[in-house]
Amino acid sequence: MIISLKDGVKLFGVTVVCFCAAFVCTFFLNFYLDVLPLRGGVSPELLPLYEAQIATAQFCCAITGGVLALIAAVMLLFYVKLYVDEHRKTLGTLKALGYSERRLAVGFTVFGLSTLFGCALGFGLGFAAMPFIYSQLTLEGLTVEISFHPWLLFALVFAPPSAFSVIAYAVASAMLRRPALEIMRGRQKTSAKRKRDRTPKDRPFLIQAALKTISANKLLTFFIAFSCFCFSAMIQMGLSMERLVSGTMGWMILIIGLVLALTSAFMAMTSLVRNNKKTLALMKTAGYTLKESAAAVFAGFLPFAALGFAVGTGYQFGLLEFMINVIFKNVGEVPEYGFDGMALLVTFSLFLACYAAIAAYYVAKINKISVKEIMAET
């Protein structure tokens, strides 16, 4: 099986997430390893701040690395499923010719290796930014020399691609463990006891279409909610960090949040439009307006977008309150932290502007869908 360049480009979302995770973890873990042996040289009055910075490095790596690794794994699962769905006829034919699911799944290890570029770039830029980061974190009177830790290079650059390759192989093998004809038809094996659709027949067609779109795209629902979560949490946190601790750290968090949010949003919306091309073409031939067609595809996801934004707001407030009131509670000269209403207002305004622009872009793409082209593909 040949993975084309076009298929590799689709993994851009996983690459971006791995880049962000490796970038943040590189300088925090390196700082932790370099500053840990210097505890004996810290004066008693600065010891609480020293311990707080150690705890911050550990906490940020655990939160950032752990959460982003989980998100990257989910994205990888999504891309494997997308590839199987788009190439089901080829994969089904190969299996009918005698290829086992394990032999076919080996080709999917390339998807895991796609994380290597993101991890390597994140590690390189993180190491390049260390002199500036160290100057922001180092305590007064304490000199921290930047050291290179080979095991950290292995853990952040080479270990993740290996792990993701195994995940891609396992997921692909499980998805291809079906009869060849079933793979070609793109249908999962259904249980005889599976309940029929309970959607009331008297509901308007557009409402039924919106509900069907959500039920058929559960993974995309997660990515849309995650995109809004990242936008809300990271931008509000960045604005608050600029006031509380450091403008540099604030801007860094803000930029990473924007990159993650927009990458997830474009990935989800592109897949959503592609998955519903036939439905949109049929709606166009049936006389539905562009506004009605867009509502049938996008409107059902609005509650999940709002939920993601709300959860992100609560998450960033709880995280910053924990850091200020627990980790830095014994450190003097740390400002008190309360909920930042202005940061919420600014973030919500940017949120509406950005996602309205994204929606307008994809509505324009819907308008360009060719009924003749879709019918020819069918």
Side-chain angles (χ1 to χ4, degrees):
M1 183 180 61
I2 299 175
I3 307 295
S4 66
L5 180 61
K6 183 180 179 181
D7 297 317
V9 171
K10 294 177 182 178
L11 297 169
F12 178 72
V14 180
T15 303
V16 169
V17 172
C18 291
F19 164 77
C20 293
F23 176 72
V24 174
C25 289
T26 294
F27 54 75
F28 270 125
L29 282 176
N30 214 83
F31 177 79
Y32 171 78
L33 293 173
D34 288 342
V35 80
L36 194 60
L38 305 178
R39 181 186 178 89
V42 180
S43 60
E45 59 271 14
L46 291 179
L47 191 59
L49 180 58
Y50 169 85
E51 292 178 343
Q53 288 189 335
I54 290 290
T56 300
Q58 294 174 323
F59 186 70
C60 289
C61 284
I63 292 294
T64 303
V67 172
L68 292 183
L70 178 62
I71 297 302
V74 174
M75 281 187 172
L76 188 64
L77 184 151
F78 169 76
Y79 281 122
V80 171
K81 182 180 183 302
L82 184 66
Y83 186 90
V84 171
D85 290 343
E86 290 184 348
H87 298 81
R88 61 182 185 274
K89 293 182 180 180
T90 302
L91 293 169
T93 301
L94 290 174
K95 190 164 186 181
L97 291 174
Y99 285 79
S100 67
E101 63 269 8
R102 292 182 179 180
R103 185 175 178 183
L104 293 174
V106 169
F108 287 86
T109 57
V110 176
F111 283 8
L113 294 176
S114 67
T115 62
L116 179 62
F117 177 75
C119 292
L121 184 61
F123 183 86
L125 291 182
F127 210 86
M130 276 185 197
F132 184 73
I133 300 297
Y134 273 42
S135 68
Q136 301 291 315
L137 298 175
T138 302
L139 302 176
E140 185 178 353
L142 187 68
T143 302
V144 183
E145 298 292 338
I146 298 176
S147 302
F148 177 74
H149 304 278
W151 74 265
L152 192 61
L153 173 66
F154 172 80
L156 295 179
V157 177
F158 298 107
S162 301
F164 283 125
S165 293
V166 173
I167 292 173
Y169 170 83
V171 172
S173 180
M175 293 186 66
L176 295 172
R177 199 172 295 137
R178 293 179 289 158
L181 188 58
E182 194 174 301
I183 294 174
M184 295 178 71
R185 289 177 177 174
R187 296 175 184 174
Q188 295 288 345
K189 199 172 183 178
T190 56
S191 172
K193 297 182 179 179
R194 186 174 179 179
K195 296 181 180 179
R196 292 185 177 182
D197 183 19
R198 294 183 176 179
T199 304
K201 301 300 181 182
D202 56 346
R203 281 182 177 172
F205 170 75
L206 292 179
I207 295 179
Q208 291 191 43
L211 293 176
K212 284 287 187 182
T213 303
I214 295 173
S215 63
N217 297 277
K218 295 182 179 66
L219 201 55
L220 293 181
T221 303
F222 165 79
F223 284 125
I224 290 173
F226 171 71
S227 172
C228 300
F229 169 86
C230 285
F231 196 100
S232 173
M234 303 289 274
I235 291 185
Q236 289 185 73
M237 191 180 297
L239 294 175
S240 298
M241 289 285 285
E242 184 181 13
R243 178 175 59 86
L244 290 172
V245 183
S246 167
T248 302
M249 293 298 295
W251 278 105
M252 188 180 300
I253 292 172
L254 192 148
I255 292 172
I256 290 175
L258 275 176
V259 170
L260 286 175
L262 296 180
T263 300
S264 302
F266 277 106
M267 181 196 73
M269 297 290 276
T270 299
S271 298
L272 188 61
V273 172
R274 181 170 56 244
N275 292 348
N276 290 276
K277 272 188 175 182
K278 291 182 181 179
T279 301
L280 292 167
L282 290 173
M283 291 183 69
K284 183 179 287 189
T285 58
Y288 285 92
T289 65
L290 178 61
K291 183 178 179 180
E292 290 172 329
S293 299
V297 176
F298 300 140
F301 294 93
L302 292 179
F304 297 97
L307 178 63
F309 187 91
V311 172
T313 300
Y315 169 81
Q316 66 85 27
F317 173 70
L319 189 61
L320 285 180
E321 189 173 38
F322 175 80
M323 292 182 65
I324 297 299
N325 297 328
V326 177
I327 297 180
F328 286 90
K329 67 176 182 178
N330 296 322
V331 179
E333 300 180 0
V334 175
E336 294 184 2
Y337 174 69
F339 186 78
D340 195 336
M342 182 57 67
L344 173 61
L345 181 61
V346 171
T347 303
F348 186 66
S349 300
L350 289 173
F351 174 77
L352 292 179
C354 289
Y355 283 84
I358 292 173
Y361 170 76
Y362 281 98
V363 168
K365 290 196 71 173
I366 289 175
N367 193 37
K368 293 180 181 179
I369 291 177
S370 171
V371 177
K372 182 178 179 181
E373 181 181 342
I374 297 300
M375 300 309 281
E377 289 178 2
T378 304

